[in-house]
Amino acid sequence: ASGGSHGAEEVDFSEDSMEELPPERQIVVGICAMTKKSKSKPMTQILERLCKFEYITVVIMGEDIILNEPVENWPPCDCLISFHSKGFPLDKAVAYAKLCKPFLINDLDMQYYIQDRREVYRILQEEGIDLPRYAVLNRDPDRPEECNLVEGEDHVEVNGAVFPKPFVEKPVSAEDHNVYIYYPTSAGGGSQRLFRKIGSRSSVYSPESSVRKTGSYIYEEFMPTDGTDVKVYTVGPDYAHAEARKSPALDGKVERDSEGKEIRYPVMLTAMEKLVARKVCVAFKQTVCGFDLLRANGHSFVCDVNGFSFVKNSMKYYDDCAKILGNIIMRELAPQFHIPWSIPTEAEDIPIVPTTSGTMMELRCVIAVIRHGDRTPKQKMKMEVKHPRFFELFEKYDGYKTGKLKLKKPEQLQEVLDIARQLVVELGTHSDCEIEERKSKLEQLKSVLEMYGHFSGINRKVQLTYLPHGHPKAASEDEEARREPSPSLLLVLKWGGELTPAGRVQAEELGRAFRCMYPGGQGDYAGFPGCGLLRLHSTYRHDLKIYASDEGRVQMTAAAFAKGLLALEGELTPILVQMVKSANMNGLLDSDSDSLSSCQHRVKARLHEIMQKDAEFCEEDYEKLAPTGSASLLNSMTFIQNPVEICNQVFTLIENLTSQIRKRLEDPKSADLQLYHSETLELMLQRWSKLERDFRMKNGRYDISKIPDIYDCIKYDVQHNCALKLEGTAELFRLSKALADVIIPQEYGINKEEKLEIAIGFCLPLIKKIQLDLQRTHEDESVNKLHPLYSRGVLSPGRHVRTRLYFTSESHVHSLLSIFRYGGLLDVTAPSNADGVYLQENKDQQWKRAMDYLSAISELNYMTQIVIMLYEDNNKDPSSEERFHVELHFSPGVKGCEEDRNVPTGFGFRPASAEVRALRWARGRGLPCMGRAACGSNKHGTLAGRTGTEHHCPQGRGTPQHAHLGGVQVRDVLHGAGVVPIVPLLDHGVEQLCKHLEGSGTGQLLRASAMHSPLGMWQVPYGAWSVAGPRPYLTSYVSSSPATMPTVLMKGWPGLSTPVWMHWSKVQPLGVALSQSLA
């Protein structure tokens, strides 16, 4: 930086300070503020980005000049960013503005009003903005006793208005932060005294209950919030960043993170709050403006307007703020300076995107149902209890109302632990006591509850179920079985199943990748902030709600996903508290897995019967177990051949495994060995020993219901504890996976009717909610259906893209998929004519391919996604069926532990003839195509590439397809290296999907004409993935901030599913020139 001729600093943030300036005259942006503000980190970060605008030069006026020099000596500028803070000479800044007439980012005259709370409240009232009920008490400093104030024990009366305690007393000067809150005597009286943060405190309690007797104050009613204040930061009328902090009135302790920064929680503004932000920004004529919101009783109230203020520690905000300020300055001044410039953001404002069928439509609604991320193995223990203390606990928490009780809160778990400890002691001291609980079970209950040294509902819970006649016992058991049956409680203890660090990363990365489906969301997961979804979100266009079941792992997955999706910073807990709705009140995403329906009981019994057969599967078994003809199921059965023989091998391998772990435990070197996620060898041994005990029953038969648990455990250890180098784990994984691939999907129904009955039992509330989400979007004509070119920003705050994310467990994903597959959404059977000749042209090829793809998927792994996207064509008549368009997409989640050679590649949406035409079109324009010439070897040794005909690589149908685009290796859109991308299953009219969801499989529906995609078995033919090297011929996408360019491009994140939109969300109909590249 070099000193200017007027003693100001001209800031040069460019990499090459010697580089010559362009010949056009530079727009000089002057920063006139106190040094503490002008040199603060947020200001420096934003100015650094602002300087990246080619025609903008920033000059910071020194504090010495501002305070001591006459305004005539201040450096000249074309645009002025000036704002008041303690000690700032606002009068001089106003005089300077009159002298130089620069373009003002924040009006200076209005800053006098912002310093007076009375004026702030007057302006807010005039604008019709909600604020707390208030009264002003003006005191003459010379005669303070002459004022209209009557003070009672539990209220004050100001100018005739009564304010019962609790109420708030604010000095009229906005610079005075000594705000007091007075409490009623019923709550202990006294007052909370708020002040500017000093270290770790922002308020202190005082026993003083009387109001202040000198000075002028505003008295207002206390608003009961949830303990948080919402801070809103606008940058122009169309953009706001919102975050919450713990209210200083709560306990006065400032929450700080590990780096000492005050913890801020992310917040989503409602449509009305967005309108308020716009009104505040415009009314106070402050482009950059901070204000405070109180959310209470379902309403939002503005309680303070601070004027110029920046968000701290948010790279996304710095990028967005610089971009918007730069655009505002250029839009205002470029014409008079004859600078060639056009606003690059207009195209982003309306979310017009191509559908997978190539039609340009407006994206209106995105609904995703997502399974949680990688977790520790789930563990469960059951025991029957009869001690009176358990019944007392059951009664205390109203268990008799429903006959069931779920205990998750720390104090509840502590009560269970206290009972277990007492009973263990009594068993040890009384040999002839009446406690019926088995000591080993009680000790296990005690030890599990004592794990970690503290309680958290995220990793443990106890369920109690009332059994009026006790647990049924076999007649051969001892005398107890022949006693009169007495009531008992079935206690089920569940632990484990926590989201792992790997699961958090999966969810956060997928959240980032998920942005790609929104406008401008290509390349680097749209990682340059401000583009696509992030800009949509901050400019009030995004109506986002995130729901999660009450399982800790599901909630933390939702929080991690939100963190990646919205580029949030910090810990997951604050994000979870503020942004994730727990939907367990109405069974939307939860299910009581311990209470099976009669259909599930029948299915399990049949499944057990077939899998207990000590002989090779015969044709009859295939018909019994796989009537739907699922390819993955048939493959697994062919591999298994004899189920009992495979179970014998699995049991032997488990015995061998526990033996190896015991030997390791005896080895002193392994004594303190830490396994993944703080597990010990001892805990690992407990895990496997329990499975060893439970899998083979006393009668020598196998408990088939334990197979999913065995697969769960070995999958976890193969992935996370491979450093132990235990023998036989790979074989155990292979065998248990084959068994699990039969048992897990078939537990949700063996034939179509059972699958639908069980599915509806699990997710009927969710189906109804999805139907509502879709219908609300396409029925709300008056608010949302505006012409794409009508208005920007929040002139119409109701207009938005609606996103609903539902995070849940495997059961709901299986069930929802069953409804889509077997509920009669589309007809895949070709009808025949009177002569019995099939009419092949009526067969839905697209849906059949989708069903074949689903049939070949063996496992719905962590992060499995089912995504519904709703588009609208504003050019079509509102009553026309072509007005709306629905797409259904699917991904089976993270990849497994090993390369699965049978993973299907899928065949896209188009018949081969359409592909040939597409390739001819591409070749005719000199574009690179993925034909035979692109075939080459990859690290897996398979061949890559497709031709324009039904060509298969030598390895056959399961071969992964690769293509080299712009130097980055990208797999076929249906399968990635370590990545299973989302596969588009369906694109049809919205009415059809809604009808289908309404019917939930109660009948075949009239099928709509399928819209086939221009993308099928060919790769996207554009060299647009290049990050370095020659630029593609297409224009590159404009980043939110010229300073922020994508540096890393998605190459296929290991074990992560990538949405298919990364590959084609900007592809337009064939024959239409592309305006933007994919990068």
Side-chain angles (χ1 to χ4, degrees):
S2 58
S5 59
H6 295 271
E9 268 187 82
E10 183 177 306
V11 182
D12 183 2
F13 289 106
S14 66
E15 291 177 16
D16 185 2
S17 57
M18 301 304 291
E19 191 179 315
E20 287 185 25
L21 291 174
E24 291 87 352
R25 195 192 138 188
Q26 291 283 291
I27 294 171
V28 177
V29 177
I31 311 297
C32 177
M34 303 301 279
T35 301
K36 187 179 177 185
K37 301 291 182 183
S38 62
K39 294 292 180 71
S40 67
K41 182 187 172 185
M43 181 68 91
T44 305
Q45 292 278 346
I46 289 162
L47 294 183
E48 187 178 308
R49 288 158 171 76
L50 195 59
C51 284
K52 299 290 181 183
F53 276 83
E54 191 178 355
Y55 299 103
I56 289 178
T57 298
V58 174
V59 170
I60 298 175
M61 302 184 192
E63 192 174 293
D64 185 50
I65 293 172
I66 296 168
L67 295 175
N68 303 321
E69 291 283 340
V71 293
E72 292 78 12
N73 293 349
W74 289 13
C77 67
D78 307 303
C79 170
L80 182 65
I81 297 177
S82 180
F83 53 94
H84 180 267
S85 63
K86 191 174 180 182
F88 181 78
L90 186 56
D91 294 347
K92 288 177 79 175
V94 171
Y96 172 78
K98 282 180 183 169
L99 179 70
C100 295
K101 297 185 171 51
F103 168 54
L104 296 176
I105 292 293
N106 278 29
D107 186 87
L108 291 166
D109 290 320
M110 290 300 291
Q111 294 185 29
Y112 288 110
Y113 291 136
I114 291 173
Q115 293 176 57
D116 189 326
R117 286 192 172 101
R118 292 168 293 196
E119 291 299 319
V120 169
Y121 274 31
R122 177 184 63 78
I123 293 167
L124 290 172
Q125 227 164 5
E126 285 173 2
E127 291 297 321
I129 295 168
D130 286 344
L131 62 162
R133 184 176 68 89
Y134 77 99
V136 178
L137 180 71
N138 287 313
R139 276 198 179 99
D140 183 333
D142 299 324
R143 292 189 293 279
E145 67 286 346
E146 292 180 20
C147 62
N148 204 345
L149 172 75
V150 179
E151 186 174 12
E153 186 180 39
D154 265 343
H155 74 277
V156 288
E157 190 178 318
V158 181
N159 303 328
V162 176
F163 293 87
K165 291 180 181 177
F167 60 77
V168 184
E169 179 187 62
K170 296 178 175 177
V172 292
S173 166
E175 296 296 295
D176 187 342
H177 297 276
N178 294 294
V179 174
Y180 291 4
I181 300 166
Y182 295 90
Y183 299 124
T185 50
S186 59
S191 55
Q192 192 80 17
R193 303 189 170 191
L194 282 59
F195 43 79
R196 259 205 187 283
K197 287 195 294 274
I198 301 171
S200 64
R201 297 218 66 81
S202 58
S203 74
V204 64
Y205 176 79
S206 163
E208 182 56 64
S209 292
S210 297
V211 298
R212 287 172 277 190
K213 301 299 187 291
T214 55
S216 297
Y217 298 96
I218 288 177
Y219 289 89
E220 66 183 53
E221 63 180 334
F222 177 78
M223 309 305 292
T225 66
D226 60 358
T228 56
D229 289 350
V230 178
K231 300 275 191 191
V232 183
Y233 301 85
T234 71
V235 186
D238 299 336
Y239 180 96
H241 176 104
E243 56 188 31
R245 59 162 193 189
K246 188 173 82 174
S247 170
L250 202 58
D251 62 0
K253 178 86 167 65
V254 178
E255 282 187 320
R256 297 191 184 275
D257 61 18
S258 54
E259 295 177 14
K261 294 167 185 165
E262 184 178 13
I263 292 175
R264 299 287 177 107
Y265 300 75
V267 164
M268 287 180 283
L269 296 176
T270 64
M272 287 312 297
E273 287 169 341
K274 293 164 186 176
L275 197 54
V276 167
R278 183 184 182 84
K279 283 183 175 180
V280 168
C281 180
V282 172
F284 289 89
K285 299 178 185 173
Q286 306 292 298
T287 300
V288 178
C289 188
F291 67 93
D292 295 355
L293 274 177
L294 297 175
R295 285 174 167 176
N297 305 323
H299 293 280
S300 298
F301 303 87
V302 176
C303 64
D304 197 9
V305 176
N306 306 310
F308 194 101
S309 55
F310 282 142
V311 177
K312 299 176 181 70
N313 308 309
S314 170
M315 292 299 166
K316 171 186 172 296
Y317 173 81
Y318 298 153
D319 284 337
D320 290 350
C321 185
K323 177 72 184 291
I324 294 163
L325 286 178
N327 284 340
I328 288 170
I329 294 164
M330 294 299 287
R331 185 174 60 208
E332 184 70 26
L333 299 177
Q336 69 191 60
F337 282 75
H338 306 293
I339 293 171
W341 189 83
S342 61
I343 301 171
T345 56
E346 295 297 334
E348 294 175 34
D349 287 343
I350 303 297
I352 299 288
V353 291
T355 63
T356 52
S357 65
T359 319
M360 295 304 291
M361 285 186 168
E362 181 180 352
L363 177 63
R364 298 312 313 279
C365 184
V366 177
I367 297 165
V369 179
I370 305 171
R371 191 187 170 199
H372 59 75
D374 180 71
R375 56 162 172 75
T376 60
K378 285 196 294 184
Q379 297 183 76
K380 183 161 68 173
M381 181 200 79
K382 290 182 180 180
M383 62 188 291
E384 187 185 12
V385 294
K386 292 189 175 183
H387 195 278
R389 284 197 62 183
F390 282 114
F391 283 99
E392 286 165 16
L393 186 69
F394 193 69
E395 187 174 9
K396 179 180 176 181
Y397 292 108
D398 290 332
Y400 287 108
K401 273 188 182 176
T402 58
K404 291 176 186 170
L405 183 61
K406 194 183 282 187
L407 305 172
K408 289 180 71 173
K409 293 179 180 173
E411 62 270 21
Q412 294 173 331
L413 294 175
Q414 184 63 53
E415 288 179 74
V416 178
L417 176 58
D418 290 343
I419 296 170
R421 283 173 172 165
Q422 181 198 352
L423 297 188
V424 167
V425 170
E426 287 183 25
L427 271 175
T429 53
H430 302 89
S431 55
D432 191 27
C433 67
E434 292 185 6
I435 300 167
E436 295 183 23
E437 284 74 34
R438 287 174 46 217
K439 189 171 184 181
S440 63
K441 290 255 182 181
L442 278 169
E443 283 178 339
Q444 189 174 9
L445 174 65
K446 174 175 168 285
S447 65
V448 170
L449 289 174
E450 286 173 341
M451 278 162 62
Y452 310 109
H454 62 88
F455 282 122
S456 166
I458 274 175
N459 52 34
R460 274 163 296 185
K461 66 179 175 188
V462 170
Q463 288 167 221
L464 292 169
T465 307
Y466 183 68
L467 304 173
H469 305 297
H471 202 58
K473 290 188 170 69
S476 60
E477 290 187 25
D478 53 31
E479 290 176 16
E480 286 186 23
R482 290 188 284 276
R483 288 185 191 173
E484 279 294 309
S486 60
S488 66
L489 294 169
L490 178 66
L491 184 149
V492 180
L493 170 66
K494 294 182 175 182
W495 71 102
E498 299 167 65
L499 192 68
T500 62
R504 290 185 183 207
V505 172
Q506 286 166 0
E508 195 175 329
E509 282 292 310
L510 184 61
R512 263 188 221 112
F514 210 72
R515 298 179 210 162
C516 300
M517 76 179 76
Y518 295 88
Q522 291 73 45
D524 191 28
Y525 297 167
F528 30 104
C531 278
L533 174 84
L534 299 178
R535 186 168 188 283
L536 190 78
H537 196 73
S538 295
T539 52
Y540 317 137
R541 297 272 183 181
H542 193 208
D543 170 19
L544 169 67
K545 284 193 173 66
I546 301 172
Y547 298 89
S549 68
D550 70 347
E551 294 286 357
R553 58 182 167 275
V554 179
Q555 294 191 345
M556 295 310 276
T557 299
F561 187 95
K563 183 178 180 179
L565 182 72
L566 299 176
L568 304 173
E569 296 175 21
E571 294 299 311
L572 292 187
T573 304
I575 297 170
L576 177 63
V577 168
Q578 291 285 326
M579 304 191 79
V580 178
K581 297 174 187 297
S582 184
N584 61 332
M585 299 308 290
N586 53 7
L588 189 67
L589 297 167
D590 291 292
S591 55
D592 188 354
S593 56
D594 287 316
S595 57
L596 303 179
S597 67
S598 58
C599 182
Q600 282 173 286
H601 278 298
R602 289 198 308 274
V603 165
K604 282 204 168 186
R606 264 202 351 273
L607 200 53
H608 280 233
E609 180 196 334
I610 298 166
M611 297 298 286
Q612 295 288 1
K613 184 179 173 184
D614 191 3
E616 289 196 9
F617 285 131
C618 61
E619 199 59 41
E620 188 187 344
D621 294 323
Y622 278 91
E623 286 170 14
K624 276 186 186 175
L625 196 53
T628 58
S630 165
S632 62
L633 199 59
L634 296 174
N635 287 341
S636 294
M637 288 180 72
T638 305
F639 174 84
I640 291 167
Q641 294 185 342
N642 181 326
V644 173
E645 182 52 43
I646 295 289
C647 285
N648 283 333
Q649 291 179 42
V650 165
F651 183 71
T652 305
L653 286 164
I654 293 173
E655 284 183 317
N656 180 30
L657 187 62
T658 53
S659 164
Q660 288 181 68
I661 299 169
R662 283 191 187 94
K663 281 181 186 168
R664 288 288 178 92
L665 270 170
E666 289 163 11
D667 183 353
K669 292 176 188 172
S670 306
D672 299 319
L673 190 65
Q674 279 284 308
L675 307 184
Y676 184 71
H677 203 45
S678 305
E679 193 179 32
T680 61
L681 272 174
E682 205 161 288
L683 287 170
M684 185 186 186
L685 179 61
Q686 279 180 22
R687 222 180 345 115
W688 282 107
S689 297
K690 186 175 188 304
L691 286 171
E692 186 183 351
R693 285 195 306 274
D694 297 347
F695 184 42
R696 186 145 75 182
M697 298 179 285
K698 289 175 184 174
N699 60 11
R701 300 180 78 184
Y702 289 103
D703 183 351
I704 302 301
S705 66
K706 297 298 172 195
I707 283 169
D709 298 339
I710 293 168
Y711 174 57
D712 196 23
C713 272
I714 193 62
K715 184 165 103 174
Y716 179 82
D717 287 332
V718 165
Q719 188 176 345
H720 297 301
N721 291 322
C722 54
L724 288 174
K725 295 187 175 66
L726 296 167
E727 289 175 16
T729 51
E731 182 66 4
L732 179 54
F733 174 81
R734 198 169 65 92
L735 298 177
S736 60
K737 177 171 172 52
L739 290 168
D741 287 348
V742 171
I743 286 160
I744 293 172
Q746 297 311 79
E747 281 184 339
Y748 297 99
I750 293 173
N751 59 40
K752 289 182 183 180
E753 292 73 24
E754 289 165 344
K755 283 181 184 293
L756 278 172
E757 186 181 333
I758 290 169
I760 291 167
F762 270 111
C763 63
L764 189 59
L766 179 59
I767 291 166
K768 288 180 175 174
K769 180 71 168 63
I770 289 172
Q771 187 187 359
L772 269 177
D773 293 336
L774 288 167
Q775 287 180 336
R776 277 193 190 131
T777 304
H778 91 276
E779 286 171 1
D780 194 6
E781 293 290 330
S782 57
V783 179
N784 294 334
K785 305 301 167 282
L786 303 169
H787 189 276
L789 300 178
Y790 173 72
S791 89
R792 295 176 65 239
V794 288
L795 292 173
S796 52
R799 181 178 181 76
H800 50 249
V801 175
R802 182 193 301 271
T803 300
R804 296 291 180 268
L805 304 175
Y806 299 98
F807 289 85
T808 185
S809 52
E810 193 177 17
S811 56
H812 273 69
V813 179
H814 268 289
S815 301
L816 190 58
L817 212 51
S818 289
I819 285 170
F820 284 137
R821 287 173 78 175
Y822 306 115
L825 180 57
L826 288 171
D827 189 1
V828 296
T829 58
S832 58
N833 61 15
D835 301 321
V837 177
Y838 284 114
L839 305 175
Q840 286 295 339
E841 63 271 23
N842 289 334
K843 195 171 181 179
D844 194 307
Q845 292 289 327
Q846 176 191 353
W847 190 240
K848 185 177 185 309
R849 288 194 195 98
M851 293 302 96
D852 288 346
Y853 179 83
L854 290 180
S855 172
I857 296 294
S858 63
E859 179 181 4
L860 302 184
N861 211 334
Y862 303 126
M863 305 310 301
T864 291
Q865 309 128 58
I866 299 168
V867 182
I868 302 166
M869 298 181 76
L870 171 64
Y871 300 87
E872 180 181 8
D873 186 345
N874 289 285
N875 300 317
K876 294 284 189 293
D877 186 87
S879 59
S880 162
E881 278 239 344
E882 295 178 341
R883 174 84 177 193
F884 291 92
H885 170 84
V886 167
E887 290 172 4
L888 182 60
H889 300 260
F890 167 77
S891 164
V894 302
K895 273 196 65 182
C897 303
E898 58 179 33
E899 181 68 23
D900 188 347
R901 300 292 176 190
N902 295 318
V903 169
T905 59
F907 291 104
F909 283 168
R910 295 184 319 155
S913 57
E915 182 183 330
V916 173
R917 287 198 303 274
L919 288 170
R920 281 177 188 154
W921 173 82
R923 287 188 186 116
R925 282 152 183 76
L927 297 173
C929 321
M930 297 302 112
R932 285 184 192 274
C935 288
S937 64
N938 59 61
K939 64 180 179 180
H940 300 297
T942 56
L943 290 178
R946 289 250 193 210
T947 63
T949 59
E950 292 276 357
H951 161 69
H952 295 276
C953 296
Q955 277 76 0
R957 193 164 178 268
T959 306
Q961 307 303 315
H962 287 60
H964 287 274
L965 300 180
V968 177
Q969 191 180 69
V970 181
R971 276 271 187 106
D972 182 288
V973 292
L974 301 178
H975 193 65
V979 176
V980 184
I982 285 184
V983 179
L985 299 182
L986 164 75
D987 51 344
H988 277 298
V990 68
E991 293 295 337
Q992 186 166 357
L993 186 63
C994 280
K995 281 178 191 168
H996 170 67
L997 293 176
E998 207 164 40
S1000 294
T1002 53
Q1004 201 70 8
L1005 295 157
L1006 289 172
R1007 59 181 295 281
S1009 58
M1011 298 167 65
H1012 291 299
S1013 168
L1015 291 164
M1017 296 170 287
W1018 59 311
Q1019 297 291 336
V1020 181
Y1022 311 118
W1025 269 267
S1026 58
V1027 179
R1031 297 178 74 80
Y1033 82 100
L1034 305 163
T1035 57
S1036 63
Y1037 191 83
V1038 181
S1039 167
S1040 133
S1041 161
T1044 315
M1045 293 299 289
T1047 51
V1048 181
L1049 199 62
M1050 174 67 175
K1051 295 181 184 177
W1053 192 83
L1056 182 76
S1057 150
T1058 313
V1060 77
W1061 305 284
M1062 173 163 293
H1063 301 267
W1064 62 31
S1065 60
K1066 279 290 174 190
V1067 175
Q1068 314 225 352
L1070 298 179
V1072 178
L1074 287 147
S1075 60
Q1076 296 176 330
S1077 81
L1078 299 184

